[in-house]
Amino acid sequence: MTKDDIRKVAVLGFIGLGLLLGIYESNRPGPMLVEGSGTGYNGELSVELQVKPKGKEFKIIGLNVKHTDTPPIADPAIEALKNQVIRNQTADLDIVAGATYTSEGVKEAVKNAIEKIGK
């Protein structure tokens, strides 16, 4: 086998490997969006979890909350709760002082969303 033949085989091998990796990446599951709802201070609030499958488990990688609670009180509390959810990977959240109803609503909504993941 000449050097040119070896180069051709190597190039074809790399092209084939690239195609296989491309097919694998395109078929790999991406993040799922799961919604849940709860009751905040001014009524219903909703949570959208961004969940990445991890074998038979999952990992929460993002969280969006839509609410009608008082923004100066609720928004900082929601940020703290988002950090807790992503850090601890659970709906078992510590209540934020001064925003009890909002905290309870987010906790309920996250729990509802997590329950939907297994279904």
Side-chain angles (χ1 to χ4, degrees):
M1 199 176 243
T2 67
K3 285 184 178 181
D4 277 348
D5 291 339
I6 294 172
R7 282 188 193 126
K8 287 177 187 176
V9 169
V11 168
L12 289 174
F14 282 119
I15 291 172
L17 181 62
L19 289 171
L20 289 174
L21 289 174
I23 291 169
Y24 171 76
E25 281 296 318
S26 67
N27 289 319
R28 199 167 112 187
M32 301 179 343
L33 297 178
V34 185
E35 294 182 0
S37 62
T39 305
Y41 182 74
N42 285 330
E44 187 174 15
L45 55 80
S46 64
V47 167
E48 182 181 76
L49 294 180
Q50 298 165 2
V51 179
K52 186 175 182 180
K54 194 174 182 182
K56 292 186 178 187
E57 300 293 318
F58 62 89
K59 181 176 182 178
I60 300 169
I61 59 173
L63 174 70
N64 294 319
V65 180
K66 294 179 185 169
H67 66 92
T68 57
D69 292 353
T70 310
I73 296 169
D75 289 346
I78 288 171
E79 281 304 310
L81 295 166
K82 283 181 182 181
N83 291 333
Q84 284 186 51
V85 170
I86 293 171
R87 182 181 50 234
N88 300 331
Q89 298 292 303
T90 183
D92 187 22
L93 307 173
D94 293 331
I95 302 301
V96 176
T100 303
Y101 291 109
T102 301
S103 298
E104 290 290 347
V106 170
K107 186 175 180 175
E108 178 186 2
V110 170
K111 182 179 177 186
N112 289 338
I114 289 174
E115 287 173 355
K116 291 179 183 178
I117 293 171
K119 295 179 181 179

